[in-house]
Amino acid sequence: MLVLLPPSEGKASSGRGAPLDLGSLSLPGLTAAREAVLGELVELCAGDEEKAREVLGLSEGLRGEAAKNAGLRSAGARPAGEIYTGVLYDALDLASLDPAAKRRAARSLLVFSGLWGAVRVTDRIPSYRCSMGVRLPGLGALGAHWRAPLASVLPAAAGGGLVLDLRSSAYAAAWKPKGEVAGRTATVRVLHSRIVDGVEKRSVVSHFNKATKGRIVRALLSAGAAPKNPAELVVALRDLGHVVEAEAPAAGRPWSLDVVVTEIH
């Protein structure tokens, strides 16, 4: 099982670990594309701060993020699973998983990034600020920059099993599974169900969508679930107590799963 996750806007500090070693990151086929983004980002942020803030979409309160980016090559690096914070990662709570579940997380979780393309949670990276929606002056839109490199390495990374795609739209656009891989890919939508005047009403949740997805991944990792395809994923999630609705799509197209919740938290 390969689980595709979005990054988080908020990130923990880099700390005092050894600096970034691009060559040590997973998916080495992305190294050249990573170096291109890293080089331009560092140069941009080491120059005109106001221009860097404009390009990166940083508010006045986030002015320090540009200076942080300027020092990425020498900043301490930590496992990506410790760098990414926010609602999904709080719910996933990698640090509290048992050793077996942590090993499963290291094998199966892949976090997408405007700077790195995609990294494993065990890859050591510094804290940074660079979303997939950024358009760098030299490279242009990062979503477009990453499409070819990701398409070249991710089908092999997906192997022959399930791909659980929990990315937000900006990151999902950087790599869209195709052909046979698409047929064993599942996306998840979280719906809030409530009764109003005796009638069920459903709505798509946003903020709590992330928390639910984090809990789903944690439950799968903790249970040692190993669904090989979307149909088996539906069974696994139901066995774990989730209300899941899904229909098999046409051949070669991803499955869309609705996870229905009655409480949002």
Side-chain angles (χ1 to χ4, degrees), residues 90-198:
D90 286 347
L92 174 53
D93 195 7
L94 287 168
S96 69
L97 291 173
D98 64 54
K102 286 181 179 177
R103 290 192 293 271
R104 296 181 196 111
R107 291 194 302 267
S108 61
L109 304 187
L110 200 60
V111 184
F112 276 62
S113 163
L115 176 52
W116 317 115
V119 291
R120 302 281 185 187
V121 292
T122 50
D123 284 332
R124 297 179 62 82
I125 59 173
S127 183
Y128 67 96
R129 176 72 66 145
C130 185
S131 72
M132 191 65 80
V134 164
R135 179 182 294 273
L136 291 175
L139 291 177
L142 290 180
H145 170 77
W146 283 114
R147 277 188 202 114
L150 289 171
S152 72
V153 302
L154 288 187
L162 169 72
V163 178
L164 176 54
D165 189 353
L166 302 179
R167 297 172 295 167
S168 53
S169 58
Y171 293 90
W175 180 62
K176 296 182 179 180
K178 299 183 183 300
E180 185 268 337
V181 179
R184 47 188 169 83
T185 296
T187 62
V188 170
R189 181 175 64 164
V190 180
L191 298 178
H192 180 214
S193 172
R194 62 194 189 283
I195 304 300
V196 179
D197 296 329

Side-chain angles (χ1 to χ4, degrees), residues 22-97:
L22 272 183
S24 72
L25 300 183
S26 302
L27 306 176
L30 300 178
T31 300
R34 288 167 174 155
E35 177 59 48
V37 180
L38 178 64
E40 183 167 352
L41 183 63
V42 168
E43 181 179 1
L44 170 71
C45 292
D48 185 331
E49 184 181 83
E50 294 307 314
K51 180 180 179 181
R53 284 181 55 207
E54 180 182 356
V55 170
L56 298 175
L58 300 177
S59 66
E60 176 65 30
L62 295 174
R63 179 181 290 274
E65 297 293 287
K68 181 169 69 176
N69 282 347
L72 283 173
R73 292 192 185 276
S74 58
R78 296 167 58 187
E82 298 177 12
I83 291 290
Y84 293 114
T85 59
V87 176
L88 187 154
Y89 292 92
D90 286 347
L92 174 53
D93 195 7
L94 287 168
S96 69
L97 291 173

